[in-house]
Amino acid sequence: MIYDFTYCNPTRIHFGRKAMDKLPEELANYGKNILLVYGKNSIKKNGIYDTVMRMLHEGGKNVVELPGINSNPRYTQVLEGARLVRENAVDLILAVGGGSVVDCSKGISAAAYCEGDPWQRYWVNQEPVTNKVVPVASVLTMTGTASEMNGGSVITNEAEKLKLGRVFPLELMSPKFSILNPEFTYTVPKHQMVSGIFDIFSHLMEQYFSGDDDCTSDYLLEAVMLSLINASRKALVNPQDYEARSNIMWCATMGLNKILALSKTQDWEVHMIEHQLGAYTDCPHGIGLAIISPSYYRLIYKYGLPKFVRYARNIWHVNKPGLSDEQIALEGINRLEAFIAELGIPQTLREVGATEEMLPLIAESTIKGGGYHVVNTDEVLQVLKNCF
Ligand code: NZQ
Ligand code: ZN
């Protein structure tokens, strides 16, 4: 079924080598008090911190800093940022980093003026946000999540061993502007680059593997998957290939700014399983997705066979004559697995620190859903065991 939709995304994107030149004019639209949120130390090493600070000071801003945001940002960091926002009457939260920093900034924005417990209200109960929020903007340094142009905020509550995603409305929480310079991603270590690449690929597949309508979104998703495979292969050979890094960056933004999902159903179960894997192991998000995906798709392909056949043919060019539909579908999943190996991503949960004892706990705490098939705890456990 093709669904009706309304779409409005307020993020202004500045893309390219000179994108940062736009930061001063963007900053001029906001008040004096800026909360600068960033990660551990990458932006200090590669000089982005100095550039941003110079522009903030030249713009006459008062800067409060929240450094040290973890990969898989913690709820305690959201609370710390919320306190800083209130105490300093912050006018703009500027996130400089990858998806974790941007997600955390949105969490801070929602939590700062929330009455009651923000974790319970906004991540567990998924209540609508009615309190004041503070505008968020980003300078992106690592690509994959599309947090730079969506309302997502995935937060890990260590005390509760839960990693929960919240998708705030785009109009409310999508960054007001995002600076995307592909050159900023050159210093991302290879294991993080491929993690980001697979995160993008997974977003595309999870929007694709549901519904069998003749749907424009599915054709668009195929096109972005093909572009991503092509660009990734080039970036593996030469990480400083501007064209390749820029295509990857734009595939990422397009991959989850919600345009490609319009009008269709989706299946986000791989993400649901990975989030709990992340809560237990703290593994890089895209690496976890890559380990789980072949195992998950081997479980569900039978329920959506025509789409898996289409995927095998259109994405992986499985054209060998004489194969049954089932063989074609399975060959498509084999090629996906081969692509993951080509990216140099580990293929077992052991390699990211999972233990056998963790598997039932992860399976139990995973939010269950699906597209062609709705999974239960035993099936999630089987998926995990098959890639352990
Ligand atoms: O902390 P620093 O020192 O900055 O290092 C970071 C971090 O270790 C490093 N890095 C970033 N830019 C760099 C760089 N290193 C060198 N040079 C640079 N230019 O990369 C590491 C990973 O960064 P992180 O932000 O954690 O990665 P990513 O962008 O993959 O974000 C992952 C988080 O986003 C969530 C994930 O679950 C995870 O928590 N997601 C958010 C989504 C959304 N908002 O819609 C959807 C996604 O599906 C995802 O769940
Ligand atoms: Zn993701």
Side-chain angles (χ1 to χ4, degrees):
M1 173 166 168
I2 303 278
Y3 290 94
D4 298 351
F5 59 84
T6 299
Y7 182 82
C8 172
N9 193 322
T11 306
R12 190 159 41 243
I13 296 286
H14 300 290
F15 192 101
R17 288 190 171 101
K18 293 193 172 11
M20 195 70 134
D21 294 354
K22 301 286 183 185
L23 184 58
E25 66 192 69
E26 287 286 4
L27 290 173
N29 295 324
Y30 299 90
K32 270 187 157 324
N33 300 330
I34 310 292
L35 177 67
L36 182 68
V37 184
Y38 54 97
K40 301 279 179 194
N41 60 9
S42 70
I43 65 164
K44 291 205 170 161
K45 276 210 245 167
N46 59 23
I48 295 172
Y49 174 85
D50 290 339
T51 307
V52 170
M53 278 307 243
R54 178 176 51 76
M55 290 178 170
L56 286 166
H57 287 140
E58 284 172 4
K61 306 294 184 186
N62 305 321
V63 183
V64 182
E65 297 185 42
L66 179 61
I69 301 306
N70 288 71
S71 232
N72 300 323
R74 311 294 196 250
Y75 181 55
T76 48
Q77 297 175 319
V78 170
L79 293 179
E80 172 64 6
R83 183 182 66 77
L84 292 173
V85 165
R86 287 190 303 271
E87 287 178 5
N88 298 282
V90 163
D91 299 302
L92 175 73
I93 303 173
L94 183 60
V96 183
S100 294
V101 172
V102 187
D103 278 18
C104 189
S105 298
K106 294 176 202 165
I108 292 168
S109 171
Y113 297 104
C114 169
E115 282 177 22
D117 176 359
W119 174 256
Q120 193 62 37
R121 292 189 58 191
Y122 296 151
W123 282 270
V124 177
N125 299 348
Q126 302 271 314
E127 288 178 31
V129 178
T130 48
N131 53 263
K132 170 183 161 183
V133 300
V134 181
V136 173
S138 81
V139 175
L140 198 70
T141 66
M142 143 99 199
T143 189
T145 65
S147 192
E148 67 275 13
M149 200 179 177
N150 71 29
S153 174
V154 183
I155 302 297
T156 297
N157 187 321
E158 284 184 295
E160 296 191 12
K161 277 250 178 269
L162 281 175
K163 178 174 171 181
L164 293 181
R166 173 64 198 257
V167 182
F168 294 113
L170 293 172
E171 291 90 334
L172 185 77
M173 204 58 91
S174 208
K176 298 296 175 215
F177 64 88
S178 284
I179 308 277
L180 275 62
N181 180 345
E183 289 179 340
F184 289 178
T185 67
Y186 287 174
T187 53
V188 172
K190 189 189 167 216
H191 76 280
Q192 290 292 354
M193 176 183 87
V194 296
S195 174
I197 288 171
F198 198 82
D199 189 21
I200 307 165
F201 205 72
S202 192
H203 296 159
L204 298 169
M205 289 193 296
E206 287 172 80
Q207 290 165 96
Y208 184 75
F209 285 128
S210 189
D212 282 318
D213 303 295
D214 189 15
C215 167
T216 299
S217 289
D218 281 335
Y219 293 98
L220 294 171
L221 286 159
E222 288 175 353
V224 183
M225 280 191 244
L226 292 172
S227 171
L228 180 64
I229 294 166
N230 178 49
S232 303
R233 288 183 167 144
K234 290 181 181 166
L236 282 176
V237 176
N238 176 13
Q240 305 220 342
D241 179 331
Y242 180 80
E243 194 177 86
R245 294 309 280 267
S246 115
N247 283 333
I248 292 170
M249 196 168 216
W250 192 233
C251 284
T253 307
M254 283 304 294
L256 203 52
N257 64 7
K258 306 296 168 136
I259 286 183
L260 303 182
L262 296 176
S263 85
K264 74 184 300 285
T265 56
Q266 301 145 59
D267 172 5
W268 287 97
E269 195 55 29
V270 171
H271 264 67
M272 294 304 102
I273 301 172
E274 192 290 326
H275 284 174
Q276 277 316 95
L277 174 68
Y280 278 83
T281 64
D282 203 24
C283 72
H285 172 62
I287 303 290
L289 296 170
I291 297 170
I292 295 162
S293 291
S295 176
Y296 176 75
Y297 290 124
R298 286 192 181 108
L299 174 85
I300 65 142
Y301 78 94
K302 285 185 183 164
Y303 302 99
L305 194 57
K307 196 59 162 291
F308 279 87
V309 169
R310 175 176 165 177
Y311 167 79
R313 288 197 192 287
N314 292 356
I315 304 304
W316 301 113
H317 314 298
V318 179
N319 292 317
K320 217 166 123 195
L323 295 181
S324 66
D325 281 358
E326 180 147 0
Q327 287 169 322
I328 294 169
L330 282 172
E331 183 54 22
I333 300 171
N334 292 342
R335 302 262 179 113
L336 167 68
E337 201 167 51
F339 178 60
I340 293 167
E342 194 182 329
L343 292 172
I345 293 179
Q347 306 215 313
T348 64
L349 295 176
R350 279 173 216 271
E351 291 167 84
V352 293
T355 62
E356 219 161 347
E357 295 70 44
M358 282 179 192
L359 303 187
L361 300 171
I362 295 171
E364 188 62 46
S365 57
T366 291
I367 295 171
K368 314 296 184 309
Y372 295 118
H373 174 67
V374 175
V375 290
N376 59 36
T377 301
D378 288 344
E379 288 170 319
V380 174
L381 185 57
Q382 201 52 53
V383 167
L384 293 168
K385 284 184 174 168
N386 289 347
C387 55
F388 181 64

